[in-house]
């Protein structure tokens, strides 16, 4: 059976580095739909996209922890890209 490819994002900005949550319910991705590149979470069908953190710093390359409790990502700071971990419980988001 051949599946149809579906567009999950329809905003004018770029959307990059998608990763599915361990249970397949959510997608985490990097997007520049705001002032900077930030990490977003949407339902697996692309609806209900929400920015994870209220920071104006550049964020990239999200990945969900195997237990679904955290998203890890790169955070751009002048001269470096440290890794950060965001607890999804803090934003009332779970994967």
């Amino acid at each position: 059976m051949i599946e149809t490819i579906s567009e999950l994002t329809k905003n004018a900005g770029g959307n990059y580095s998608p990763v599915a949550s361990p249970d397949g319910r959510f997608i985490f991705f990097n997007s520049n739909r705001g002032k900077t590149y930030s990490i977003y979470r949407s339902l697996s069908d692309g609806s209900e996209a929400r920015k994870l953190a209220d920071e104006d710093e550049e964020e990239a390359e999200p990945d969900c922890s195997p237990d679904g409790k955290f998203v890890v990502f790169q955070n751009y700071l002048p001269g470096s890209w440290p890794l950060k971990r965001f607890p999804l419980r803090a934003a009332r988001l779970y994967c």
Side-chain angles (χ1 to χ4, degrees):
M1 178 175 164
I2 297 176
E3 300 263 344
T4 303
I5 296 174
S6 300
E7 184 175 346
L8 298 176
T9 57
K10 298 182 185 335
N11 61 299
N15 301 287
Y16 309 96
S17 306
V19 62
S21 64
D23 64 7
R25 295 183 325 155
F26 301 105
I27 299 169
F28 294 88
F29 59 97
N30 182 227
S31 179
N32 67 347
R33 59 184 67 192
K35 294 189 294 185
T36 61
Y37 282 96
S38 298
I39 306 300
Y40 286 78
R41 187 214 70 177
S42 70
L43 296 178
S44 62
D45 66 1
S47 66
E48 299 184 31
R50 288 181 50 189
K51 185 176 173 182
L52 285 189
D54 290 328
E55 298 180 16
D56 288 333
E57 299 172 347
E58 299 278 337
E59 302 164 347
E61 303 294 331
D63 200 1
C64 197
S65 65
D67 62 7
K69 293 181 180 179
F70 300 96
V71 168
V72 293
F73 58 92
Q74 293 176 329
N75 180 229
Y76 174 73
L77 298 174
S80 70
W81 280 90
L83 296 177
K84 290 194 174 179
R85 181 176 79 166
F86 185 84
L88 296 174
R89 187 178 332 131
R92 299 191 197 310
L93 301 172
Y94 301 93
C95 25

